[in-house]
Amino acid sequence: MKKILTVIGARPQFIKASVVSHALAKRPDEIEEVLLHTGQHFDANMSSIFFDQLSIPKPRFQLDIHGGTHGQMTARMLESIERIILDEKPDRVLVYGDTNSTLAGALAAIKLHVPVAHIEAGLRSFNMQMPEEVNRILTDNVSDLLFCPTETAIKNLEREGFCSKPITMLNVGDVMQDAALFFAQNASATIESKPKGDFALATLHRAENTDDENRLRSIINALNHIHKNIAPVLLPVHPRTRAAIQRLGVELEISVIDPVGYLEMIDLLQSCSLVLTDSGGLQKEAFFFRKPCITMRDQTEWVELVEIKANTLAGADEEQIIKSARQSFGSTIQVAHSPYGEGFASEKIASCLAK
Ligand code: UDP
């Protein structure tokens, strides 16, 4: 029996963990999973709603660590996670993605000589200004089991010399695709504020956009223009973005709602005619539901989607965002097969972790 301590803390990690924890739970004789929630995301609509909707087991350890600088947050997590690892003595620590919770979990484990498995390994934006890029590179480098979602991720690791290290890296496909397909088929929810006709779905929360006044202003101008001239724009707004917009004092003319649960999000994705986002997860989800996507960033880790023209990189350039929205609104994405696997990533991960 292997004991796995899974460290999660932010919204996308709850969604990814929902399918992986489910796959691990199907192996009760081989794996015991202990969940640790750092508390990085803590609002009900950023955290508990996902545990309720997606039937994620209640974390055995619930920390309350959020806010402060990156250093402060990561340091506090490191200290608490270390204590839990010493008490629980897991055989392995499992982390997801690229948040401060990811890095703190990985670092606490490796310093205690506990092996680390990283889900969503090998992704790169090649922009070290992004906190996520720093977190994912450091986490990959202390992991010995690297579960990559794409061939591109494998190639990134090969280029960084991972082939010559005593590690295992596998292209298992994308766990977010597993989640999107599973919950689209097995659960449904809708929200009253969903526009009746065609609309564009937007999300915005990356620090590079929310913490830069010029970029934020330019993106909001573009969204306002699209709302007035192309189709209504619906923005479930991230708490960080809401605060940044208030600080900036810029007027939002689009429809703004509080963050929604994952099932509502799937309904919005299925109903919309365009996705505008700076989220990593949303770029792929747009593709899973074959909706065109405009990414309001200068780089993306999901380059496959740009190559097959399912995704347009528009940066924070107002004109470029509007032009791309005009071009792609309502278009359909046609591809023979998904670059993200066949929807069995979590099963493959569970089987590998059981060995
Ligand atoms: N999401 C959600 N409700 C929202 C906004 C996003 O459930 O109001 C989901 C979205 O569908 C995706 C995930 O949250 O699965 C993406 O998380 P986020 O954009 O916060 O992080 P990123 O993917 O950029 O790391």
Side-chain angles (χ1 to χ4, degrees), residues 8 14 35 37 47-59 62:
I8 50 179
F14 310 141
L35 272 183
H37 183 339
S47 176
S48 58
I49 190 170
F50 297 98
F51 286 80
D52 297 342
Q53 277 194 341
L54 313 183
S55 305
I56 307 169
K58 193 171 154 43
Q62 175 70 58

Side-chain angles (χ1 to χ4, degrees), residues 38 72 122 227 264:
T38 60
Q72 287 166 340
H227 184 78
E264 288 81 4

Side-chain angles (χ1 to χ4, degrees), residues 201-303:
L201 174 65
T203 76
L204 183 66
H205 75 289
R206 285 258 103 73
E208 72 209 64
N209 288 330
T210 58
D211 297 359
D212 181 321
E213 285 195 7
N214 291 333
R215 290 181 71 97
L216 186 57
R217 199 180 294 279
S218 167
I219 289 173
I220 288 172
N221 287 345
L223 295 180
N224 284 342
H225 181 96
I226 294 166
H227 184 78
K228 280 187 284 186
N229 299 290
I230 302 178
V233 175
L234 181 68
L235 174 77
V237 73
H238 193 285
R240 179 201 291 161
T241 313
R242 189 185 283 281
I245 291 170
Q246 273 164 3
R247 271 199 309 276
L248 197 59
V250 61
E251 202 188 331
L252 273 175
E253 294 165 54
I254 60 177
S255 307
V256 178
I257 55 173
D258 283 335
V260 297
Y262 186 58
L263 303 184
E264 288 81 4
M265 203 61 188
I266 287 184
D267 180 52
L268 292 174
L269 280 157
Q270 286 175 320
S271 316
C272 74
S273 300
L274 174 68
V275 173
L276 295 136
T277 192
D278 61 2
S279 155
L282 251 291
Q283 292 174 53
K284 285 175 298 157
E285 285 166 359
F287 171 74
F288 301 151
F289 296 105
R290 301 297 187 262
K291 303 295 167 132
C293 181
I294 296 169
T295 297
M296 301 181 291
R297 284 180 48 196
D298 300 332
Q299 313 87 12
T300 178
E301 300 77 29
W302 308 105
V303 289

Side-chain angles (χ1 to χ4, degrees), residues 136-194:
R136 56 172 86 101
I137 289 177
L138 295 178
T139 302
D140 282 343
N141 275 279
V142 296
S143 302
D144 73 332
L145 250 183
L146 295 107
F147 295 117
C148 297
T150 58
E151 261 322 294
T152 313
I154 294 269
K155 289 204 179 92
N156 288 338
L157 293 177
E158 285 173 353
R159 208 178 308 113
E160 291 174 25
F162 276 74
C163 294
S164 56
K165 295 184 183 181
I167 52 110
T168 303
M169 55 179 178
L170 296 169
N171 177 2
V172 290
D174 188 352
V175 293
M176 285 199 100
Q177 178 168 269
D178 295 17
L181 300 182
F182 178 82
F183 290 107
Q185 274 171 16
N186 295 289
S188 66
T190 190
I191 47 168
E192 275 176 22
S193 39
K194 183 166 91 172

